[in-house]
Amino acid sequence: MEIVLVVFQALFVLMISPLVMGWLNNCRLWLQNKSAPGIFQPYRNLRKLFQKETLVAHHASIIYRVTPYIQIGCMVFAAMLIPIFSVNLFASNAADLIALAGLFGFARFFLALAGMDIGTSFGNLGSRREMFVSFLAEPCLLMIFFGVSLLANSTSLSTVSTYLITHPLQIYPSLVFMFFAFLIVMLAENSRLPVDNPSTHLELTMIHEAMILEYSGRHLALIQWSCDLKFVIYSLIGISIFMPWGIPIAITPLSFFIGLISCVIKLFLGATFIVCLESTMAKLRIFRVTEFLSIGFLLAVLGILLHLLLTLRVS
């Protein structure tokens, strides 16, 4: 039963990720007073790319060819590890937050290698910028995970969610700092404003798009799908840490239905919040990203210090 639920969970995240991105893109266009193509446009884009011929440079190595499959494989595997329909699934307890960070780093490492593999100037430019951003974002992400793990004395995402669900509803001041730090890292890691602009191909501004400019056909479809997946997985991690209420503890048909509905509602509310946040921001210069992510790191450290201070005071 649990194996079926884990497989269904991965398929659910895989299939809903383009819908969430479609909703996000439509909300952004509505806020800009523009007509929107519909929330199902990402599905149509993926179908069109899968039907197109896949062109590969004749001097591309095996890394360039396998990277799209590694990307989508890593994201699907990460989707199995997050507690969505229950906190007691065996897959959710198989890996902790540090392993999830390592999985994201592994996928990013191959994408950066693929960007440099065929030797184009844009690919090299994008890979260097991507690694620069990840060099700043990963310590902040690990610091957030470390701070969150202090609450439940565990780095397991399921344990943290269970701790927050089973304890009385109260405000944790350290989690407030962690939330804003996680928001900053989420924007940076998913190539969103103000770190990157996913809807532009300008040389001076693009980061992620520069790495995948040479991809086409099903390879480009897999990479774009994996990017949508990564955004949804980050949203689900944020939900599991900061809004876990609604994630069932027991595995029953009713709890499964409640978990499904609450997950969908939270995902779309989160996407709407991200759009509103992005609409109030401008793209930062690449050298200002350091300051932006430093704020996230500082907030994470403040959250840890505040938790330790309050814990020592209570004890």
Side-chain angles (χ1 to χ4, degrees):
M1 177 63 183
E2 286 196 28
I3 295 177
V4 175
L5 205 55
V6 169
V7 173
F8 178 79
Q9 176 175 301
L11 291 175
F12 166 75
V13 179
L14 188 67
M15 296 310 298
I16 202 174
S17 55
L19 188 66
V20 174
M21 293 307 294
W23 170 256
L24 191 148
N25 293 331
N26 275 254
C27 288
R28 187 179 66 244
L29 292 173
W30 290 332
L31 287 174
Q32 295 172 356
N33 202 22
K34 295 180 181 177
S35 59
I39 62 174
F40 296 103
Q41 185 60 36
Y43 292 105
R44 291 191 282 268
N45 293 339
L46 290 176
R47 185 186 62 183
K48 182 175 66 177
L49 287 173
F50 275 118
Q51 291 174 345
K52 284 189 173 182
E53 183 183 1
T54 302
L55 299 177
V56 180
H58 67 277
H59 57 280
S61 72
I62 187 68
I63 292 177
Y64 184 84
R65 299 170 189 273
V66 301
T67 293
Y69 303 99
I70 292 176
Q71 290 288 308
I72 196 78
C74 287
M75 293 306 120
V76 171
F77 185 56
M80 294 181 180
L81 304 177
I82 303 170
I84 299 175
F85 299 134
S86 175
V87 293
N88 288 322
L89 291 179
F90 72 94
S92 304
N93 297 314
D96 60 2
L97 289 164
I98 310 300
L100 277 174
L103 203 57
F104 293 139
F106 181 75
R108 184 189 306 108
F109 172 71
F110 270 90
L111 190 60
L113 281 183
M116 294 185 290
D117 186 65
I118 54 177
T120 61
S121 56
F122 276 114
N124 281 291
L125 178 75
S127 297
R128 289 200 300 270
R129 287 178 175 174
E130 178 76 10
M131 297 312 291
F132 171 70
V133 172
S134 67
F135 174 75
L136 300 170
E138 280 185 356
C140 184
L141 183 65
L142 290 174
M143 195 61 71
I144 294 167
F145 287 165
F146 174 68
V148 167
S149 66
L150 291 176
L151 281 176
N153 293 322
S154 172
T155 56
S156 169
L157 188 55
S158 293
T159 306
V160 173
S161 300
T162 305
Y163 176 84
L164 293 172
I165 293 170
T166 53
H167 280 68
L169 184 63
Q170 57 181 302
I171 296 175
Y172 295 92
S174 61
L175 273 187
V176 176
F177 286 92
M178 297 295 175
F179 171 74
F180 287 107
F182 183 79
L183 205 57
I184 290 174
V185 174
M186 183 177 174
L187 293 175
E189 289 277 33
N190 289 278
S191 304
R192 310 298 306 181
L193 286 170
V195 177
D196 192 6
N197 189 350
S199 59
T200 182
H201 284 81
L202 296 176
E203 179 186 354
L204 292 177
T205 59
M206 63 180 177
I207 298 177
H208 175 77
E209 291 295 320
M211 290 188 297
I212 62 173
L213 271 182
E214 302 300 322
Y215 277 109
S216 61
R218 67 175 183 280
H219 286 166
L220 182 59
L222 289 174
I223 288 180
Q224 288 191 348
W225 204 348
S226 65
C227 293
D228 297 347
L229 261 175
K230 186 177 180 182
F231 177 83
V232 171
I233 289 170
Y234 260 88
S235 302
L236 291 171
I237 292 175
I239 289 170
S240 300
I241 294 174
F242 304 107
M243 291 185 295
W245 300 279
I247 302 176
I249 295 178
I251 306 174
T252 61
L254 178 61
S255 64
F256 168 78
F257 180 74
I258 293 172
L260 180 66
I261 296 299
S262 68
C263 176
V264 172
I265 292 174
K266 289 175 187 175
L267 275 178
F268 281 90
L269 287 178
T272 307
F273 176 70
I274 292 292
V275 170
C276 295
L277 194 65
E278 282 188 310
S279 299
T280 60
M281 294 182 175
K283 171 76 174 66
L284 289 174
R285 292 178 60 194
I286 188 69
F287 298 111
R288 298 291 302 277
V289 174
T290 310
E291 301 171 13
F292 183 66
L293 287 170
S294 297
I295 294 173
F297 187 82
L298 181 62
L299 288 172
V301 172
L302 284 175
I304 293 173
L305 292 178
L306 188 58
H307 173 79
L308 295 175
L309 184 64
L310 293 176
T311 305
L312 290 174
R313 191 174 178 181
V314 170
S315 61

